């Protein structure tokens, strides 16, 4: 049975809540393809920007797609500090930004 190699979602407000690519399938264009689908969906919905809470290790990947760090954060989850950043990408040419 085939196993998923990645998944992602974008909420109605443009928040990317999940973005995952299996470590067994690095640098094969899976993340790039997922990001393209998310951005396309957001544009079709008229979303003006994408946002996400991004791990430190994933920040360069998101940056390569035009995301900028809004705020570095260090939330504590179940007693463990999990450094991340709120990142944002303004979607130029979206229906909402053209208004």
């Amino acid at each position: 049975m085939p196993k998923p190699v990645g998944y992602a979602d974008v909420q109605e407000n443009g928040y990317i809540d999940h973005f995952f690519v299996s470590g067994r399938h690095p640098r094969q264009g899976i993340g790039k393809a997922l990001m393209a689908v998310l951005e396309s969906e957001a544009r079709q919905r008229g979303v003006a920007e994408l946002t996400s809470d991004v791990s430190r290790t994933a920040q360069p990947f998101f940056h390569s797609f035009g995301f900028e760090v809004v705020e570095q954060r260090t939330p504590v989850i179940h007693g463990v500090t999990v450094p991340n950043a709120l990142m944002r990408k303004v979607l130029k040419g979206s229906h909402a930004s053209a208004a």
Side-chain angles (χ1 to χ4, degrees):
M1 171 180 267
K3 294 185 179 183
V5 296
Y7 62 88
D9 74 346
V10 62
Q11 305 297 315
E12 293 294 325
N13 64 358
Y15 183 76
I16 298 171
D17 193 24
H18 300 103
F19 197 102
F20 170 79
V21 175
S22 168
R24 293 182 176 203
H25 301 279
R27 304 205 183 280
Q28 295 179 16
I30 297 164
K32 183 177 182 178
L34 288 170
M35 189 64 79
V37 169
L38 294 183
E39 188 169 325
S40 176
E41 282 187 27
R43 287 179 186 282
Q44 288 176 5
R45 294 178 187 167
V47 173
E49 67 180 23
L50 294 172
T51 59
S52 189
D53 292 302
V54 179
S55 71
R56 292 242 170 108
T57 57
Q59 288 177 34
F61 172 81
F62 276 74
H63 183 72
S64 73
F65 287 93
F67 284 77
E68 298 293 331
V69 173
V70 174
E71 178 185 359
Q72 291 288 349
R73 300 175 173 173
T74 53
V76 177
I77 302 170
H78 301 292
V80 177
T81 301
V82 183
N84 67 22
L86 173 62
M87 296 187 78
R88 175 179 61 206
K89 177 180 182 177
V90 175
L91 298 177
K92 292 179 175 40
S94 70
H95 299 295
S97 66

